[in-house]
Amino acid sequence: MTRILIRGGIVVSATGSQPLDVLIDGETIAAVLAPGTSILGTDPATVADQVIDATGKYVIPGGVDAHTHMQMPFGGTEASDTFETGTRAAAFGGTTTIVDFAVQTPGVRVQDAIAAWHDKADGQCAIDYGFHQIIGDVNDESLEGMAELVAEGVTSFKLFMAYPGVFYSDDGKILRAMQTSAELGALLMMHAENGIAIDVLVAQAIQRGETAPYFHGVTRPWQMEEEATHRAIMLAQVTGAPLYVVHVSAKQALEQIAHARGRGQNVFGETCPQYLYLSLEEQLGAPGFEGAKWVCSTPLRARAEGHQDELWRYIRTGDVTSVATDHCPFCMKDQKELGVGDFSKIPNGIGGVEHRMDLMFQGVADGRISLERWVDVCCTTPARMFGMYPRKGVISPGADADVVIYDPNGHTSIGLGKTHHMNMDYSAYEGFEIDGHVDTVLSRGRVIVDDNRYLGSAGHGRFVRRELSQNLI
Ligand code: URP
Ligand code: ZN
Ligand code: ZN
């Protein structure tokens, strides 16, 4: 078994930062040592096969992105990253675990749906991966199947208040799924937007000839997100289900989440870098059909409405529990183009699995969040939220040796032909400059990225059988 010593760096955890050396033995962390500590009277470097000099750099747990959609059939096409390309891109960006969404559709058993996702991912991934299960058809059979999935390490389930006719569940179905979740202790994840009302606004806009991508945002106003978030919280309270609201973009929805948390309810909020940096006016409102690049739901919000500052504030207060990407990439050619002349036909989704750690580190560089909060929302709390702690999300003896060496004095230019490894023909963050750089990435003790070179392999990543959430209030 290979022993690696990471020496001279500052180990950053969710609770503090200090100079520490990290000794890795095989796939796990063997010891975290004060600099100069000897092991059995000798310098630990003498027992290591490889010594990595991390002087001047941060040594952090590998990123955990708890919201991705690799090769997901959606919007009349399929998300353009396979498990192979998407997890390799994630590795370049310092993410060492993803939790992807298996999809159950009407007529399909949840057990068969999860088996199909295992088939897609098995032997393909560069990094470790787990699954949530989307329940697109809440019925007696799918509710019974949830218990089986929990026993197999799939301990969270996503429902949709949006997308009528696709994934949508009405309130009765949501209530039933939440009752089952509460019985099992499993986490209920919610796409909270009032899809029925939104579809009326969409049809009316198209009727008026408002067909450009910009109107995707206009027809999904924040009130639709706030209302659905409130309704989901109330249904969760009635049933006792723990609720995790995904991809929150409206400050008013986060206010609902903060309020519920304040009274002690198990409610959690997730946001994504696109809602912290991109906007309705600048991106969705880009000339011609360009705005299609940023069509996703919930939508990018109006900068003028002040959502971004509030989202950053909620990250600081802890009401945003974790930051994920909702990585759901589509190319412009042949995919986003399906919606030329009708924004409602543009496949919904943004790709960003490669850039989350950098974009959130920019929040540290800009003084918006602390170094520790960066690690907390990107690595540690997602691991706890989704039952993977202390195997993932922390640098401590016994944990998987998923480690990122991050250079705060480095620089990353985001864009096609620069740092882009996702299978997309554009970058949602083209031109972004980051005051930091992912130098080295280890997944279970193996260096898989070093100095912008990929050293990993498809199939190294293993399925993570998750426990129930370890982050309930
Ligand atoms: O636009 C989005 N978010 N696409 C991915 C599917 C979802 O709703 O998470
Ligand atoms: Zn969603
Ligand atoms: Zn999603």
Side-chain angles (χ1 to χ4, degrees):
M1 273 203 295
T2 310
R3 286 206 189 105
I4 299 176
L5 181 69
I6 302 173
R7 176 165 256 188
I10 308 283
V11 172
V12 183
S13 76
T15 53
S17 312
Q18 53 183 317
L20 290 168
D21 296 342
V22 179
L23 183 63
I24 293 166
D25 193 0
E27 296 201 344
T28 57
I29 291 168
V32 182
L33 308 158
T37 307
S38 57
I39 297 180
L40 298 174
T42 56
D43 179 343
T46 61
V47 298
D49 303 292
Q50 185 184 353
V51 177
I52 300 176
D53 180 12
T55 304
K57 298 178 185 166
Y58 297 132
V59 180
I60 64 169
V64 177
D65 188 343
H67 190 153
T68 67
H69 303 276
M70 304 301 175
Q71 58 196 92
M72 178 176 79
F74 193 47
T77 179
E78 184 169 294
S80 56
D81 262 320
T82 62
F83 278 93
E84 184 181 357
T85 62
T87 58
R88 188 170 56 219
F92 271 106
T95 285
T96 54
T97 307
I98 59 163
V99 191
D100 200 83
F101 286 85
V103 179
Q104 180 248 359
T105 45
V108 177
R109 294 166 68 247
V110 286
Q111 294 90 332
D112 295 337
I114 203 79
W117 252 256
H118 275 294
D119 283 349
K120 291 187 203 210
D122 191 24
Q124 303 300 315
C125 295
I127 56 170
D128 288 353
Y129 60 95
F131 292 129
H132 314 284
Q133 177 70 57
I134 288 174
I135 306 203
D137 186 13
V138 175
N139 57 39
D140 290 345
E141 196 182 44
S142 54
L143 293 177
E144 276 163 31
M146 285 168 69
E148 244 177 84
L149 264 57
V150 168
E152 291 170 11
V154 178
T155 56
S156 40
F157 300 89
K158 183 178 178 191
L159 296 185
F160 290 77
M161 300 167 105
Y163 308 137
V166 186
F167 292 139
Y168 173 79
S169 291
D170 66 26
D171 291 352
K173 290 184 173 179
I174 290 170
L175 190 89
R176 290 190 70 203
M178 284 183 170
Q179 287 169 332
T180 306
S181 254
E183 276 165 29
L184 296 170
L187 195 61
L188 204 298
M189 306 171 77
M190 187 60 79
H191 179 134
E193 283 186 297
N194 186 327
I196 300 286
I198 285 170
D199 272 11
V200 173
L201 294 178
V202 168
Q204 291 171 343
I206 300 286
Q207 186 81 29
R208 287 193 295 270
E210 296 168 352
T211 58
Y214 176 75
F215 294 100
H216 171 78
V218 173
T219 54
R220 304 180 94 92
W222 59 263
Q223 290 88 342
M224 297 294 152
E225 188 182 351
E226 180 183 7
E227 183 277 328
T229 303
H230 177 74
R231 190 156 31 104
I233 290 170
M234 290 296 109
L235 294 170
Q237 194 177 38
V238 167
T239 58
L243 174 69
Y244 179 95
V245 186
V246 295
H247 49 53
V248 180
S249 63
K251 62 181 178 182
Q252 295 86 353
L254 265 165
E255 205 176 310
Q256 295 291 331
I257 290 166
H259 186 67
R261 289 171 61 76
R263 60 167 185 262
Q265 195 178 338
N266 267 311
V267 175
F268 306 89
E270 168 196 277
T271 194
C272 313
Q274 54 266 38
Y275 305 123
L276 296 165
Y277 287 102
L278 310 177
S279 73
L280 172 71
E281 300 94 326
E282 289 141 300
Q283 277 76 29
L284 270 175
F289 189 65
E290 277 293 286
K293 294 175 176 172
W294 298 279
V295 163
C296 64
S297 298
T298 60
L300 303 183
R301 298 287 171 201
R303 192 178 285 279
E305 289 173 356
H307 298 277
Q308 294 183 354
D309 283 348
E310 283 296 277
L311 261 52
W312 282 109
R313 185 175 70 77
Y314 282 119
I315 293 176
R316 291 196 292 277
T317 64
D319 290 309
V320 166
T321 298
S322 68
V323 176
T325 56
D326 190 8
H327 178 75
C328 191
F330 297 102
C331 291
M332 281 294 267
K333 184 161 169 38
D334 296 336
Q335 295 198 300
K336 293 283 186 181
E337 278 174 6
L338 291 169
V340 172
D342 180 350
F343 70 82
S344 71
K345 297 199 166 55
I346 300 170
N348 282 207
I350 286 184
V353 75
E354 188 166 350
H355 304 308
R356 184 184 62 126
M357 298 300 291
D358 280 327
L359 289 165
M360 294 312 294
F361 182 76
Q362 192 59 42
V364 178
D366 293 344
R368 287 187 175 271
I369 55 172
S370 69
L371 204 49
E372 290 77 15
R373 199 82 192 102
W374 172 53
V375 168
D376 195 9
V377 292
C378 291
C379 316
T380 311
T381 299
R384 294 181 63 225
M385 191 75 238
F386 294 101
M388 295 183 280
Y389 190 87
R391 193 170 146 197
K392 304 292 186 191
V394 65
I395 295 182
S396 88
D400 281 355
D402 294 351
V403 180
V404 172
I405 301 174
Y406 197 88
D407 184 358
N409 299 309
H411 187 86
T412 305
S413 298
I414 299 181
L416 286 190
K418 298 173 192 157
T419 52
H420 188 100
H421 300 88
M422 298 172 287
N423 188 30
M424 298 167 71
D425 58 5
Y426 72 97
S427 168
Y429 300 97
E430 186 70 46
F432 272 57
E433 301 291 336
I434 303 292
D435 296 319
H437 186 257
V438 173
D439 272 12
T440 307
V441 180
L442 291 92
S443 164
R444 294 197 332 275
R446 174 172 168 189
V447 176
I448 58 170
V449 172
D450 190 38
D451 199 14
N452 301 321
R453 281 174 307 134
Y454 180 62
L455 304 173
S457 59
H460 167 79
R462 288 196 202 128
F463 174 65
V464 181
R465 197 180 269 264
R466 296 182 292 115
E467 310 287 325
L468 295 177
S469 176
Q470 298 141 336
N471 195 45
L472 301 191
I473 295 172

